């Protein structure tokens, strides 16, 4: 399986992984069970270095109100929820009962089920049903690439000043540079230009895994 970090010179990704805090036993079990049950979908799971970063970010922020668009089997939600402040609440948006049934199992095992609110259905509907107040501390977007711009437009005004929005796959394995990009690559390329022109946030694109854009709400 590709590492998702093909932009790094050979050996650097392995070095990066070996010099970051490793997944614990529960996370390793989830990685293995995801690979066994959904062998053709493992690319949908974030990398361990991303997970460690997001746990740290949520912890540094003391995040209490967070949302995730695209949950898959729950690795990223576990990382986010573990870093959140006591009493924090994470809303998870996904459309697959099959994938998220595994997530539910591991939320229970991790002792996090009481702070995660799974909402099955189109994420755009879930986002639009949220209160309009700017109350989110932290958001993570990692779902269908053609939907990124619409998710962004719903999340930004609901994010408090100083809140952070993290967007995955913004390098998309380099496909954004292809002469004839596929629809996902076109969508990500357009999204990247859209957020670059955004005056509501301060923006940094990090070469973590497959590209991680971090935006801080002004």
């Amino acid at each position: 399986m590709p590492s998702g970090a093909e932009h790094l010179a050979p050996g650097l990704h392995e070095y990066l992984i070996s010099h970051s805090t490793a997944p614990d036993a529960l996370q390793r079990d989830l990685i293995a069970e995801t690979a066994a049950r959904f062998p053709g979908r493992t690319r949908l799971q974030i990398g361990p270095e991303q997970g460690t970063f997001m746990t740290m970010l949520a912890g540094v922020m003391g995040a209490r109100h967070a949302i995730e668009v695209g949950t898959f089997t729950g690795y990223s939600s576990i990382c986010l929820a573990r870093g959140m402040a006591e009493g924090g609440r994470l809303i998870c948006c996904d459309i697959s009962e099959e994938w998220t049934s595994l997530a539910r199992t591991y939320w229970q095992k991790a002792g996090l089920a009481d702070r995660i609110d799974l909402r099955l259905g189109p994420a755009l509907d879930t986002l639009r049903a949220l209160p309009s107040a700017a109350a989110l501390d932290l958001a993570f977007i990692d779902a269908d690439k053609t939907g990124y711009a619409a998710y962004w437009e719903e999340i930004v005004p609901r994010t408090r000043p100083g809140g952070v929005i993290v967007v995955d796959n913004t390098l998309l394995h380099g496909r954004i540079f292809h002469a004839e990009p596929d629809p996902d690559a076109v969508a990500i390329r357009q999204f990247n230009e859209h957020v670059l022109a955004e005056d509501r946030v301060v923006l940094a694109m990090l070469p973590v895994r497959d590209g991680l854009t971090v935006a801080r709400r002004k």
Side-chain angles (χ1 to χ4, degrees), residues 22-60:
D24 64 14
L26 180 138
Q27 290 170 314
R28 293 195 300 271
D29 287 348
L30 176 54
I31 291 170
E33 190 164 350
T34 297
R37 289 181 54 176
F38 309 109
R41 299 286 188 172
T42 53
R43 70 187 186 282
L44 300 180
Q45 191 169 64
I46 67 167
E49 72 275 32
Q50 285 176 280
T52 299
F53 172 75
M54 293 199 300
T55 300
M56 291 176 64
L57 180 62
V60 167

Side-chain angles (χ1 to χ4, degrees), residues 65-164:
H65 304 286
I67 193 162
E68 171 183 81
V69 180
T71 295
F72 190 42
T73 59
Y75 192 95
S76 56
S77 51
I78 287 173
C79 295
L80 287 167
R82 279 180 167 176
M84 293 177 69
E86 189 69 29
R89 194 76 174 165
L90 172 64
I91 296 173
C92 289
C93 307
D94 208 285
I95 57 172
S96 173
E97 174 64 44
E98 184 180 20
W99 294 344
T100 57
S101 65
L102 183 56
R104 288 181 191 272
T105 297
Y106 277 83
W107 295 338
Q108 290 284 351
K109 290 181 178 181
L112 298 169
D114 62 341
R115 65 171 55 184
I116 297 176
D117 177 7
L118 175 62
R119 302 191 184 182
L120 289 174
L124 201 53
D125 292 346
T126 299
L127 293 172
R128 288 172 173 166
L130 295 175
S132 59
L136 291 173
D137 300 309
L138 181 60
F140 179 51
I141 302 174
D142 183 21
D144 57 299
K145 309 314 168 193
T146 56
Y148 271 25
Y151 302 146
W152 174 268
E153 289 303 322
E154 295 300 328
I155 287 172
V156 172
R158 291 176 169 84
T159 302
R160 65 163 175 83
V164 173

